[in-house]
């Protein structure tokens, strides 16, 4: 009889092979029935290169290492590359029809043989990465007549819990969507009809001010952690708070106040009353996670307004800080402030 350790290894290999069979669109019962351990091991080894081609996070992995093990394209042959296919999203604004010019800043995800790319109009398109053929698309119907920040959308986030796979999309108008990865349809069990209103809780007193997402959220276990784009041209405005939502239900799990509130650590770094309803200090760039240690790192920007600080004297935590939080709870672990009283819009624009 095999040892418990060997049984666990075989089970793991079998499940990995099963995933590869399903990915190929084959019937697992007819393929895997009666396979010997030797054949299962061989098939598993053959299937490994396919997993190496995945790019399931904005920067490759939760920690933003931006590294791939693939070696077929290198410094010796990169100059010989030529387009294999081109896909036109059609989501372009030159300022003639819509009031804002558009910029394409999306970094696609590639998971299990499917590419997921976002567009300037906050659409998500699933493509076959080998042919460029469209599999599905989702349109949140962004109001393109409103003045927008170059219609920027840098990408989506991927989540899987063993039973279901989801694509999370943050939009420029402040919505967080959960989409079924196989079809692109909203997951009705998430939030209200598949989406969560990101304005709730941070923009209640400012109904006419913009709040949205230009960078993708980051996934940690069953949490979707979201930064935001908020206005920074007026002293008071929507808060730049970072929030985590349950990936299955859309329920708010924790909130980190990027402008320290009354009674919180750092509130004494603000002149009396200057912290109240203070805008900015948001995490508009992508957020990174140390998944092994359970730490999320927030790159925060200047408190508003970003070019004047006469009404917000003091160091103003947590403006212009790199903040490390316990990812499961949002509890502050440590912070490092790069500029103690920013007057020059010195954001931390990186993971």
């Amino acid at each position: 009889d095999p040892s418990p350790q060997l049984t666990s290894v075989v089970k793991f290999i079998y499940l990995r092979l099963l995933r590869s069979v399903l990915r190929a669109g084959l019937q697992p019962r007819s393929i895997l029935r009666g396979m010997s351990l030797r054949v299962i091991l061989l098939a598993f080894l053959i299937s490994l290169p396919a997993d190496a081609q995945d790019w399931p996070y904005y920067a490759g992995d939760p920690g933003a290492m931006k590294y791939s093990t693939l070696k077929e394209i290198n410094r010796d042959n990169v100059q010989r590359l030529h387009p294999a296919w081109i896909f036109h999203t059609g989501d372009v604004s030159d300022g003639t029809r819509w009031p804002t010019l558009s910029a394409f800043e999306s970094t696609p995800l590639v998971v299990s043989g499917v590419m997921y790319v976002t567009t300037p109009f906050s659409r998500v398109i699933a493509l076959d990465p080998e042919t460029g053929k469209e599999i599905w698309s989702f349109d949140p119907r962004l109001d393109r007549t409103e003045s927008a920040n170059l219609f920027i959308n840098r990408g989506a986030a991927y989540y899987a819990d063993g039973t279901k796979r989801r694509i999370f999309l943050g939009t420029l108008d402040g919505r967080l969507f959960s989409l079924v990865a196989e079809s692109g349809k909203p997951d009705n069990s998430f939030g209200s009809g598949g989406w969560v209103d990101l304005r709730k809780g941070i923009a209640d007193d400012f109904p006419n001010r913009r709040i949205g997402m230009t960078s993708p959220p980051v996934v940690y276990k069953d949490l979707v952690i979201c930064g935001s784009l908020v206005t920074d041209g007026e002293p008071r405005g929507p808060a730049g708070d970072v929030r985590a939502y349950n990936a299955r239900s859309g329920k708010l799990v924790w909130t980190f106040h990027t402008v320290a509130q009354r009674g919180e650590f750092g509130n004494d770094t603000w002149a009396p009353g200057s912290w109240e309803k203070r805008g900015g200090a948001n995490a508009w760039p992508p957020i990174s996670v140390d998944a092994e240690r359970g730490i999320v790192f927030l790159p925060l920007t200047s408190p508003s307004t970003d070019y004047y600080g006469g009404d917000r004297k003091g160091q103003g935590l947590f403006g212009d800080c790199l903040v490390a939080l316990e990812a499961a709870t949002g509890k502050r672990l440590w912070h490092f402030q790069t500029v103690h009283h920013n007057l020059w819009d010195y954001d931390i624009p990186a993971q």
Side-chain angles (χ1 to χ4, degrees), residues 300-310 312 314-316 319-320 337-348:
L300 301 180
T301 65
S302 170
S304 60
T305 58
D306 46 4
Y307 288 106
Y308 176 75
R312 53 175 175 86
Q315 293 187 8
D320 300 281
Q337 190 173 45
T338 59
V339 183
H340 292 315
H341 188 249
N342 192 352
L343 303 176
W344 301 103
D345 197 21
Y346 287 147
D347 293 349
I348 303 178

Side-chain angles (χ1 to χ4, degrees), residues 19 23 54-58 62 108-114 116 136 155-169 177 179-182 216-221 223-224 247:
R19 186 175 70 173
R23 182 189 301 159
D54 280 1
W55 194 265
Y57 291 86
Y58 172 83
L109 306 179
V110 178
V111 185
S112 300
V114 179
Y116 304 95
W136 56 256
Y158 174 79
Y159 166 79
D161 65 0
T163 60
K164 59 184 180 182
R165 304 187 304 126
R166 297 293 181 262
I167 300 297
F168 287 105
L169 168 71
F177 283 91
L179 308 176
V180 178
E182 293 82 0
V218 67
V219 172
Y220 172 75
K221 295 186 176 179
L223 295 178
V224 187

Side-chain angles (χ1 to χ4, degrees), residues 17 39 78 96 98 127 141 154 162 203 214 233 267:
L17 180 58
V39 173
V78 66
T96 56
W98 316 117
L127 302 173
R141 300 187 182 281
R154 297 185 178 90
T214 54
N267 180 257

Side-chain angles (χ1 to χ4, degrees), residues 58 152-156 170 212-217 226-229 283-287:
Y58 172 83
I152 292 172
N153 190 293
R154 297 185 178 90
M213 292 182 67
T214 54
S215 296
C226 300
S228 64
L229 169 73
W284 64 257
I287 296 171

Side-chain angles (χ1 to χ4, degrees), residues 41-282:
L41 286 171
L42 178 60
F44 170 70
L45 292 174
I46 294 173
S47 71
L48 283 178
D51 289 334
Q53 298 179 56
D54 280 1
W55 194 265
Y57 291 86
Y58 172 83
D61 64 11
M65 297 303 289
K66 302 180 176 70
Y67 174 76
S68 171
T69 59
L70 301 179
K71 299 179 180 180
E72 188 172 331
I73 299 172
N74 53 55
R75 287 179 294 179
D76 296 328
N77 62 24
V78 66
Q79 72 275 10
R80 298 197 299 271
L81 289 179
H82 63 273
W85 54 262
I86 297 175
F87 182 87
H88 296 283
T89 69
D91 288 4
V92 179
S93 174
D94 62 3
T96 56
R97 183 177 182 185
W98 316 117
T100 304
L101 299 175
S102 63
F104 185 85
E105 297 190 10
S106 178
T107 296
L109 306 179
V110 178
V111 185
S112 300
V114 179
M115 175 182 288
Y116 304 95
V117 61
T118 61
T119 75
F121 297 157
S122 292
R123 290 199 303 138
V124 184
I125 304 173
L127 302 173
D128 182 328
E130 293 189 3
T131 66
K133 180 181 179 181
E134 181 176 318
I135 300 172
W136 56 256
S137 66
F138 171 77
D139 187 354
R141 300 187 182 281
L142 202 68
D143 184 356
R144 304 170 192 178
T145 63
E146 291 188 4
S147 179
N149 186 29
L150 294 177
F151 288 116
I152 292 172
N153 190 293
R154 297 185 178 90
Y158 174 79
Y159 166 79
D161 65 0
T163 60
K164 59 184 180 182
R165 304 187 304 126
R166 297 293 181 262
I167 300 297
F168 287 105
L169 168 71
T171 66
L172 199 56
D173 59 3
R175 292 175 288 167
L176 175 65
F177 283 91
S178 176
L179 308 176
V180 178
E182 293 82 0
S183 66
K185 297 184 181 300
D187 176 5
N188 289 326
S189 63
F190 183 86
S192 176
W195 63 280
V196 167
D197 184 0
L198 296 175
R199 297 187 61 87
K200 186 177 180 180
I202 66 171
D204 300 330
D205 295 330
F206 304 95
N208 297 320
R209 301 280 185 85
R210 177 173 295 281
I211 174 269
M213 292 182 67
T214 54
S215 296
V218 67
V219 172
Y220 172 75
K221 295 186 176 179
D222 287 334
L223 295 178
V224 187
I225 303 172
C226 300
S228 64
L229 169 73
V230 297
T231 56
D232 55 14
E234 298 181 49
R236 301 310 196 256
D241 296 345
V242 175
R243 295 169 292 176
Y245 297 88
N246 182 280
R248 295 188 180 93
S249 67
K251 180 180 178 181
L252 180 65
V253 176
W254 57 255
T255 299
F256 178 77
H257 297 132
T258 59
V259 171
Q261 301 296 290
R262 188 189 308 276
E264 294 181 345
F265 177 90
N267 180 257
D268 60 353
T269 64
W270 293 84
S274 65
W275 53 271
E276 296 186 66
K277 298 184 179 180
R278 178 67 57 177
N282 51 307

